[in-house]
Short mmCIF file of all heavy atoms in Angstrom, two decimals:
data_model
loop_
_atom_site.label_atom_id
_atom_site.label_comp_id
_atom_site.label_asym_id
_atom_site.label_seq_id
_atom_site.Cartn_x
_atom_site.Cartn_y
_atom_site.Cartn_z
N TRP A 359 -12.15 -8.47 -2.68
CA TRP A 359 -13.35 -9.24 -2.35
C TRP A 359 -13.70 -10.24 -3.46
O TRP A 359 -13.14 -10.21 -4.54
CB TRP A 359 -14.50 -8.25 -2.07
CG TRP A 359 -14.21 -7.46 -0.83
CD1 TRP A 359 -14.44 -7.83 0.47
CD2 TRP A 359 -13.57 -6.17 -0.76
NE1 TRP A 359 -13.99 -6.86 1.33
CE2 TRP A 359 -13.46 -5.83 0.61
CE3 TRP A 359 -13.10 -5.26 -1.71
CZ2 TRP A 359 -12.89 -4.63 1.04
CZ3 TRP A 359 -12.54 -4.08 -1.28
CH2 TRP A 359 -12.43 -3.77 0.08
N ALA A 360 -14.69 -11.07 -3.13
CA ALA A 360 -15.03 -12.21 -3.99
C ALA A 360 -15.25 -11.81 -5.45
O ALA A 360 -16.06 -10.94 -5.76
CB ALA A 360 -16.29 -12.88 -3.45
N ASP A 361 -14.52 -12.46 -6.32
CA ASP A 361 -14.58 -12.20 -7.76
C ASP A 361 -13.67 -13.25 -8.40
O ASP A 361 -12.50 -13.37 -8.00
CB ASP A 361 -14.07 -10.77 -8.04
CG ASP A 361 -14.16 -10.37 -9.50
OD1 ASP A 361 -13.97 -11.24 -10.37
OD2 ASP A 361 -14.40 -9.17 -9.76
N TYR A 362 -14.19 -14.02 -9.33
CA TYR A 362 -13.39 -15.13 -9.88
C TYR A 362 -12.57 -14.74 -11.10
O TYR A 362 -12.05 -15.60 -11.81
CB TYR A 362 -14.31 -16.31 -10.24
CG TYR A 362 -14.96 -16.97 -9.05
CD1 TYR A 362 -16.34 -16.93 -8.86
CD2 TYR A 362 -14.20 -17.64 -8.09
CE1 TYR A 362 -16.95 -17.53 -7.76
CE2 TYR A 362 -14.78 -18.24 -7.00
CZ TYR A 362 -16.16 -18.18 -6.84
OH TYR A 362 -16.75 -18.78 -5.75
N SER A 409 -14.50 -18.44 -2.93
CA SER A 409 -14.50 -16.98 -3.02
C SER A 409 -13.85 -16.34 -1.79
O SER A 409 -13.99 -16.84 -0.67
CB SER A 409 -15.91 -16.45 -3.23
OG SER A 409 -16.75 -16.91 -2.21
N GLY A 410 -13.17 -15.24 -2.04
CA GLY A 410 -12.52 -14.49 -0.98
C GLY A 410 -13.54 -13.93 -0.01
O GLY A 410 -14.62 -13.48 -0.42
N SER A 412 -16.26 -14.06 1.51
CA SER A 412 -17.57 -14.67 1.74
C SER A 412 -17.41 -16.15 2.07
O SER A 412 -18.22 -16.72 2.80
CB SER A 412 -18.49 -14.47 0.53
OG SER A 412 -17.93 -15.05 -0.62
N LEU A 512 -30.93 -21.68 -14.29
CA LEU A 512 -29.80 -20.79 -14.09
C LEU A 512 -28.53 -21.64 -14.01
O LEU A 512 -28.48 -22.61 -13.26
CB LEU A 512 -29.97 -20.00 -12.79
CG LEU A 512 -29.05 -18.80 -12.61
CD1 LEU A 512 -29.41 -17.71 -13.61
CD2 LEU A 512 -29.15 -18.25 -11.19
N ILE A 513 -27.54 -21.28 -14.83
CA ILE A 513 -26.26 -21.99 -14.81
C ILE A 513 -25.23 -21.07 -14.17
O ILE A 513 -25.07 -19.92 -14.60
CB ILE A 513 -25.81 -22.37 -16.24
CG1 ILE A 513 -26.87 -23.26 -16.92
CG2 ILE A 513 -24.46 -23.08 -16.21
CD1 ILE A 513 -26.56 -23.58 -18.37
N SER A 514 -24.59 -21.56 -13.12
CA SER A 514 -23.58 -20.71 -12.46
C SER A 514 -22.59 -21.59 -11.71
O SER A 514 -22.61 -22.81 -11.83
CB SER A 514 -24.27 -19.73 -11.52
OG SER A 514 -23.33 -18.77 -11.08
N TYR A 515 -21.72 -20.94 -10.94
CA TYR A 515 -20.66 -21.67 -10.23
C TYR A 515 -20.27 -20.91 -8.98
O TYR A 515 -20.58 -19.72 -8.84
CB TYR A 515 -19.44 -21.87 -11.15
CG TYR A 515 -18.97 -20.59 -11.83
CD1 TYR A 515 -18.13 -19.70 -11.18
CD2 TYR A 515 -19.41 -20.28 -13.12
CE1 TYR A 515 -17.72 -18.53 -11.80
CE2 TYR A 515 -19.00 -19.11 -13.74
CZ TYR A 515 -18.16 -18.24 -13.07
OH TYR A 515 -17.76 -17.07 -13.69
N GLY A 516 -19.63 -21.60 -8.06
CA GLY A 516 -19.08 -20.94 -6.87
C GLY A 516 -20.10 -20.72 -5.76
O GLY A 516 -21.21 -21.28 -5.78
N GLY A 517 -19.73 -19.89 -4.80
CA GLY A 517 -20.53 -19.67 -3.60
C GLY A 517 -21.90 -19.11 -3.91
O GLY A 517 -22.91 -19.51 -3.30
N LEU A 518 -21.98 -18.18 -4.87
CA LEU A 518 -23.29 -17.59 -5.17
C LEU A 518 -24.22 -18.60 -5.82
O LEU A 518 -25.45 -18.50 -5.69
CB LEU A 518 -23.12 -16.36 -6.06
CG LEU A 518 -22.62 -15.09 -5.35
CD1 LEU A 518 -22.32 -13.98 -6.35
CD2 LEU A 518 -23.62 -14.63 -4.31
N ALA A 519 -23.67 -19.59 -6.51
CA ALA A 519 -24.51 -20.63 -7.11
C ALA A 519 -25.17 -21.46 -6.01
O ALA A 519 -26.31 -21.89 -6.14
CB ALA A 519 -23.68 -21.51 -8.03
N GLU A 520 -24.42 -21.68 -4.92
CA GLU A 520 -25.01 -22.41 -3.79
C GLU A 520 -26.21 -21.63 -3.24
O GLU A 520 -27.25 -22.19 -2.92
CB GLU A 520 -23.93 -22.59 -2.72
CG GLU A 520 -24.31 -23.49 -1.56
CD GLU A 520 -24.49 -24.95 -1.95
OE1 GLU A 520 -24.03 -25.34 -3.04
OE2 GLU A 520 -25.11 -25.69 -1.17
N GLN A 521 -26.04 -20.29 -3.18
CA GLN A 521 -27.11 -19.44 -2.67
C GLN A 521 -28.34 -19.47 -3.58
O GLN A 521 -29.47 -19.27 -3.13
CB GLN A 521 -26.60 -18.00 -2.53
CG GLN A 521 -27.61 -17.02 -1.96
CD GLN A 521 -27.08 -15.60 -1.97
OE1 GLN A 521 -26.32 -15.20 -1.10
NE2 GLN A 521 -27.46 -14.83 -2.96
N SER A 522 -28.13 -19.75 -4.88
CA SER A 522 -29.25 -19.76 -5.83
C SER A 522 -30.29 -20.80 -5.46
O SER A 522 -31.44 -20.70 -5.88
CB SER A 522 -28.73 -20.05 -7.25
OG SER A 522 -27.78 -19.11 -7.64
N LYS A 523 -29.88 -21.82 -4.69
CA LYS A 523 -30.86 -22.83 -4.28
C LYS A 523 -32.00 -22.19 -3.51
O LYS A 523 -33.15 -22.60 -3.64
CB LYS A 523 -30.17 -23.91 -3.42
CG LYS A 523 -29.21 -24.78 -4.20
CD LYS A 523 -28.48 -25.75 -3.28
CE LYS A 523 -27.50 -26.60 -4.06
NZ LYS A 523 -26.67 -27.43 -3.17
N ASP A 524 -31.69 -21.16 -2.69
CA ASP A 524 -32.74 -20.47 -1.93
C ASP A 524 -33.69 -19.75 -2.88
O ASP A 524 -34.90 -19.72 -2.67
CB ASP A 524 -32.12 -19.46 -0.95
CG ASP A 524 -31.36 -20.17 0.18
OD1 ASP A 524 -31.61 -21.38 0.38
OD2 ASP A 524 -30.52 -19.52 0.82
N ALA A 525 -33.11 -19.15 -3.94
CA ALA A 525 -33.95 -18.44 -4.91
C ALA A 525 -34.86 -19.44 -5.63
O ALA A 525 -36.05 -19.19 -5.84
CB ALA A 525 -33.07 -17.69 -5.91
N VAL A 526 -34.30 -20.60 -5.99
CA VAL A 526 -35.09 -21.64 -6.67
C VAL A 526 -36.22 -22.09 -5.75
O VAL A 526 -37.38 -22.19 -6.18
CB VAL A 526 -34.19 -22.83 -7.08
CG1 VAL A 526 -35.04 -24.01 -7.54
CG2 VAL A 526 -33.23 -22.40 -8.18
N LYS A 528 -37.77 -20.50 -3.35
CA LYS A 528 -38.83 -19.49 -3.23
C LYS A 528 -39.69 -19.44 -4.48
O LYS A 528 -40.92 -19.31 -4.41
CB LYS A 528 -38.22 -18.11 -2.95
CG LYS A 528 -37.68 -17.97 -1.53
CD LYS A 528 -37.43 -16.53 -1.15
CE LYS A 528 -36.99 -16.43 0.30
NZ LYS A 528 -36.74 -15.05 0.73
N LEU A 538 -31.56 -24.97 -10.86
CA LEU A 538 -30.18 -24.48 -10.83
C LEU A 538 -29.26 -25.57 -11.37
O LEU A 538 -29.39 -26.75 -11.01
CB LEU A 538 -29.78 -24.16 -9.38
CG LEU A 538 -28.27 -23.99 -9.13
CD1 LEU A 538 -27.76 -22.70 -9.73
CD2 LEU A 538 -27.96 -24.05 -7.64
N VAL A 566 -24.49 -17.30 -15.59
CA VAL A 566 -23.94 -16.20 -14.79
C VAL A 566 -22.45 -16.38 -14.55
O VAL A 566 -21.99 -17.45 -14.15
CB VAL A 566 -24.63 -16.11 -13.42
CG1 VAL A 566 -24.33 -14.75 -12.80
CG2 VAL A 566 -26.11 -16.30 -13.56
N ASP A 567 -21.71 -15.32 -14.77
CA ASP A 567 -20.29 -15.28 -14.44
C ASP A 567 -20.08 -14.35 -13.26
O ASP A 567 -20.67 -13.27 -13.19
CB ASP A 567 -19.49 -14.74 -15.63
CG ASP A 567 -19.07 -15.83 -16.59
OD1 ASP A 567 -18.28 -16.68 -16.18
OD2 ASP A 567 -19.57 -15.83 -17.73
N GLN A 568 -19.21 -14.77 -12.34
CA GLN A 568 -18.71 -13.83 -11.32
C GLN A 568 -17.27 -13.52 -11.70
O GLN A 568 -16.32 -13.84 -10.98
CB GLN A 568 -18.82 -14.42 -9.91
CG GLN A 568 -18.61 -13.36 -8.83
CD GLN A 568 -18.82 -13.91 -7.42
OE1 GLN A 568 -19.14 -15.07 -7.24
NE2 GLN A 568 -18.63 -13.05 -6.43
N GLY A 569 -17.13 -12.93 -12.87
CA GLY A 569 -15.81 -12.63 -13.41
C GLY A 569 -16.01 -12.02 -14.79
O GLY A 569 -17.09 -12.13 -15.37
N CYS A 600 -25.30 -13.26 -17.83
CA CYS A 600 -25.33 -12.28 -16.73
C CYS A 600 -23.97 -12.24 -16.06
O CYS A 600 -23.24 -13.23 -16.04
CB CYS A 600 -26.41 -12.68 -15.72
SG CYS A 600 -26.45 -11.66 -14.23
N ILE A 601 -23.64 -11.09 -15.53
CA ILE A 601 -22.42 -10.94 -14.72
C ILE A 601 -22.86 -10.37 -13.38
O ILE A 601 -23.59 -9.38 -13.34
CB ILE A 601 -21.41 -10.03 -15.45
CG1 ILE A 601 -20.84 -10.80 -16.64
CG2 ILE A 601 -20.29 -9.60 -14.49
CD1 ILE A 601 -19.98 -10.00 -17.55
N TRP A 602 -22.45 -11.04 -12.31
CA TRP A 602 -22.86 -10.57 -10.98
C TRP A 602 -21.70 -10.67 -9.99
O TRP A 602 -20.70 -11.34 -10.25
CB TRP A 602 -24.09 -11.33 -10.49
CG TRP A 602 -23.93 -12.78 -10.09
CD1 TRP A 602 -22.78 -13.47 -9.84
CD2 TRP A 602 -25.00 -13.73 -9.90
NE1 TRP A 602 -23.07 -14.78 -9.51
CE2 TRP A 602 -24.42 -14.97 -9.53
CE3 TRP A 602 -26.41 -13.65 -9.99
CZ2 TRP A 602 -25.19 -16.10 -9.26
CZ3 TRP A 602 -27.15 -14.78 -9.72
CH2 TRP A 602 -26.54 -15.99 -9.37
N GLY A 603 -21.87 -9.96 -8.87
CA GLY A 603 -20.95 -10.12 -7.75
C GLY A 603 -19.53 -9.66 -8.01
O GLY A 603 -18.60 -10.06 -7.30
N ILE A 604 -19.32 -8.83 -9.03
CA ILE A 604 -17.95 -8.40 -9.36
C ILE A 604 -17.37 -7.58 -8.21
O ILE A 604 -18.02 -6.70 -7.66
CB ILE A 604 -17.97 -7.57 -10.67
CG1 ILE A 604 -18.41 -8.44 -11.84
CG2 ILE A 604 -16.59 -6.95 -10.95
CD1 ILE A 604 -17.56 -9.66 -12.09
N GLY A 605 -16.14 -7.90 -7.85
CA GLY A 605 -15.46 -7.16 -6.78
C GLY A 605 -16.17 -7.27 -5.44
O GLY A 605 -16.07 -6.39 -4.60
N GLY A 606 -16.91 -8.37 -5.25
CA GLY A 606 -17.59 -8.60 -3.98
C GLY A 606 -18.92 -7.88 -3.84
O GLY A 606 -19.51 -7.90 -2.76
N ARG A 607 -19.39 -7.26 -4.95
CA ARG A 607 -20.70 -6.58 -4.88
C ARG A 607 -21.75 -7.58 -4.41
O ARG A 607 -21.84 -8.69 -4.93
CB ARG A 607 -21.09 -6.03 -6.27
CG ARG A 607 -22.47 -5.36 -6.31
CD ARG A 607 -22.46 -4.02 -5.63
NE ARG A 607 -21.64 -3.04 -6.34
CZ ARG A 607 -22.06 -2.31 -7.39
NH1 ARG A 607 -23.28 -2.44 -7.84
NH2 ARG A 607 -21.25 -1.46 -7.97
N ASN A 608 -22.54 -7.15 -3.39
CA ASN A 608 -23.48 -8.09 -2.79
C ASN A 608 -24.55 -8.53 -3.78
O ASN A 608 -25.07 -7.74 -4.56
CB ASN A 608 -24.14 -7.44 -1.56
CG ASN A 608 -24.93 -8.45 -0.76
OD1 ASN A 608 -24.49 -9.60 -0.60
ND2 ASN A 608 -26.09 -8.07 -0.26
N VAL A 609 -24.83 -9.83 -3.79
CA VAL A 609 -25.93 -10.38 -4.57
C VAL A 609 -26.83 -11.11 -3.58
O VAL A 609 -26.44 -12.14 -3.02
CB VAL A 609 -25.42 -11.37 -5.65
CG1 VAL A 609 -26.59 -12.00 -6.39
CG2 VAL A 609 -24.50 -10.65 -6.63
N SER A 610 -28.02 -10.55 -3.36
CA SER A 610 -28.92 -11.16 -2.38
C SER A 610 -29.77 -12.23 -3.07
O SER A 610 -29.80 -12.33 -4.30
CB SER A 610 -29.83 -10.08 -1.78
OG SER A 610 -30.67 -9.57 -2.81
N VAL A 611 -30.47 -13.01 -2.25
CA VAL A 611 -31.39 -14.00 -2.82
C VAL A 611 -32.45 -13.28 -3.65
O VAL A 611 -32.82 -13.73 -4.73
CB VAL A 611 -32.04 -14.84 -1.70
CG1 VAL A 611 -33.11 -15.77 -2.27
CG2 VAL A 611 -30.98 -15.65 -0.97
N ASP A 612 -32.90 -12.12 -3.17
CA ASP A 612 -33.89 -11.35 -3.94
C ASP A 612 -33.32 -10.90 -5.29
O ASP A 612 -34.04 -10.89 -6.29
CB ASP A 612 -34.35 -10.12 -3.14
CG ASP A 612 -35.35 -10.51 -2.04
OD1 ASP A 612 -35.89 -11.65 -2.11
OD2 ASP A 612 -35.58 -9.70 -1.13
N ASP A 613 -32.03 -10.52 -5.31
CA ASP A 613 -31.40 -10.16 -6.59
C ASP A 613 -31.43 -11.36 -7.54
O ASP A 613 -31.67 -11.22 -8.74
CB ASP A 613 -29.94 -9.73 -6.38
CG ASP A 613 -29.82 -8.42 -5.62
OD1 ASP A 613 -30.75 -7.61 -5.71
OD2 ASP A 613 -28.78 -8.23 -4.95
N GLN A 614 -31.16 -12.54 -6.99
CA GLN A 614 -31.16 -13.75 -7.82
C GLN A 614 -32.56 -14.06 -8.32
O GLN A 614 -32.75 -14.46 -9.47
CB GLN A 614 -30.59 -14.94 -7.03
CG GLN A 614 -29.15 -14.70 -6.60
CD GLN A 614 -28.43 -15.99 -6.22
OE1 GLN A 614 -29.02 -17.04 -6.13
NE2 GLN A 614 -27.13 -15.88 -6.01
N ILE A 615 -33.57 -13.84 -7.45
CA ILE A 615 -34.96 -14.04 -7.89
C ILE A 615 -35.28 -13.06 -9.02
O ILE A 615 -35.93 -13.41 -10.00
CB ILE A 615 -35.92 -13.85 -6.68
CG1 ILE A 615 -35.76 -15.04 -5.72
CG2 ILE A 615 -37.37 -13.72 -7.16
CD1 ILE A 615 -36.50 -14.89 -4.41
N GLY A 616 -34.75 -11.83 -8.91
CA GLY A 616 -34.95 -10.83 -9.96
C GLY A 616 -34.40 -11.32 -11.30
O GLY A 616 -35.01 -11.10 -12.35
N LEU A 617 -33.26 -12.00 -11.27
CA LEU A 617 -32.70 -12.53 -12.51
C LEU A 617 -33.59 -13.66 -13.05
O LEU A 617 -33.87 -13.72 -14.26
CB LEU A 617 -31.27 -13.04 -12.26
CG LEU A 617 -30.58 -13.63 -13.49
CD1 LEU A 617 -30.43 -12.58 -14.60
CD2 LEU A 617 -29.21 -14.20 -13.13
N PHE A 618 -34.04 -14.55 -12.16
CA PHE A 618 -34.96 -15.61 -12.59
C PHE A 618 -36.21 -14.99 -13.22
O PHE A 618 -36.75 -15.52 -14.20
CB PHE A 618 -35.36 -16.49 -11.40
CG PHE A 618 -34.45 -17.67 -11.19
CD1 PHE A 618 -33.65 -17.75 -10.07
CD2 PHE A 618 -34.43 -18.72 -12.11
CE1 PHE A 618 -32.82 -18.85 -9.86
CE2 PHE A 618 -33.60 -19.82 -11.91
CZ PHE A 618 -32.79 -19.88 -10.78
N LYS A 620 -36.43 -12.26 -14.87
CA LYS A 620 -36.08 -11.86 -16.24
C LYS A 620 -36.15 -13.07 -17.17
O LYS A 620 -36.64 -12.98 -18.30
CB LYS A 620 -34.67 -11.27 -16.29
CG LYS A 620 -34.56 -9.83 -15.78
CD LYS A 620 -33.18 -9.28 -16.10
CE LYS A 620 -33.06 -7.78 -15.91
NZ LYS A 620 -33.16 -7.35 -14.50
N VAL A 641 -26.70 -9.07 -18.88
CA VAL A 641 -27.17 -8.35 -17.69
C VAL A 641 -25.97 -8.13 -16.76
O VAL A 641 -25.31 -9.09 -16.37
CB VAL A 641 -28.26 -9.15 -16.95
CG1 VAL A 641 -28.62 -8.46 -15.63
CG2 VAL A 641 -29.49 -9.33 -17.82
N TRP A 642 -25.68 -6.89 -16.45
CA TRP A 642 -24.64 -6.57 -15.46
C TRP A 642 -25.37 -6.23 -14.17
O TRP A 642 -25.73 -5.08 -13.94
CB TRP A 642 -23.76 -5.40 -15.94
CG TRP A 642 -22.83 -5.81 -17.05
CD1 TRP A 642 -23.17 -6.11 -18.34
CD2 TRP A 642 -21.41 -5.97 -16.96
NE1 TRP A 642 -22.04 -6.45 -19.05
CE2 TRP A 642 -20.95 -6.37 -18.24
CE3 TRP A 642 -20.47 -5.82 -15.92
CZ2 TRP A 642 -19.59 -6.62 -18.50
CZ3 TRP A 642 -19.14 -6.06 -16.19
CH2 TRP A 642 -18.71 -6.46 -17.47
N MET A 643 -25.60 -7.25 -13.34
CA MET A 643 -26.42 -7.07 -12.16
C MET A 643 -25.82 -6.02 -11.23
O MET A 643 -24.66 -6.11 -10.86
CB MET A 643 -26.58 -8.40 -11.42
CG MET A 643 -27.57 -8.30 -10.26
SD MET A 643 -27.73 -9.85 -9.40
CE MET A 643 -28.70 -10.80 -10.54
N GLY A 644 -26.64 -5.03 -10.88
CA GLY A 644 -26.20 -3.99 -9.96
C GLY A 644 -25.51 -2.82 -10.63
O GLY A 644 -25.08 -1.89 -9.95
N LEU A 645 -25.40 -2.84 -11.98
CA LEU A 645 -24.77 -1.72 -12.69
C LEU A 645 -25.51 -0.43 -12.33
O LEU A 645 -26.74 -0.38 -12.40
CB LEU A 645 -24.84 -1.97 -14.20
CG LEU A 645 -24.19 -0.91 -15.10
CD1 LEU A 645 -22.68 -0.95 -14.97
CD2 LEU A 645 -24.59 -1.15 -16.56
#
Side-chain angles (χ1 to χ4, degrees):
Chain A
W359 294 276
D361 183 325
Y362 293 115
S409 56
S412 60
L512 194 68
I513 301 175
S514 190
Y515 50 84
L518 284 173
E520 188 68 16
Q521 182 185 279
S522 302
K523 291 175 181 173
D524 291 342
V526 169
K528 286 196 176 181
L538 165 72
V566 196
D567 272 294
Q568 193 175 359
C600 174
I601 288 172
W602 71 15
I604 296 301
R607 178 73 67 83
N608 190 39
V609 177
S610 65
V611 174
D612 283 345
D613 292 333
Q614 299 198 352
I615 289 172
L617 180 61
F618 270 113
K620 283 190 168 68
V641 174
W642 287 71
M643 187 181 285
L645 182 70

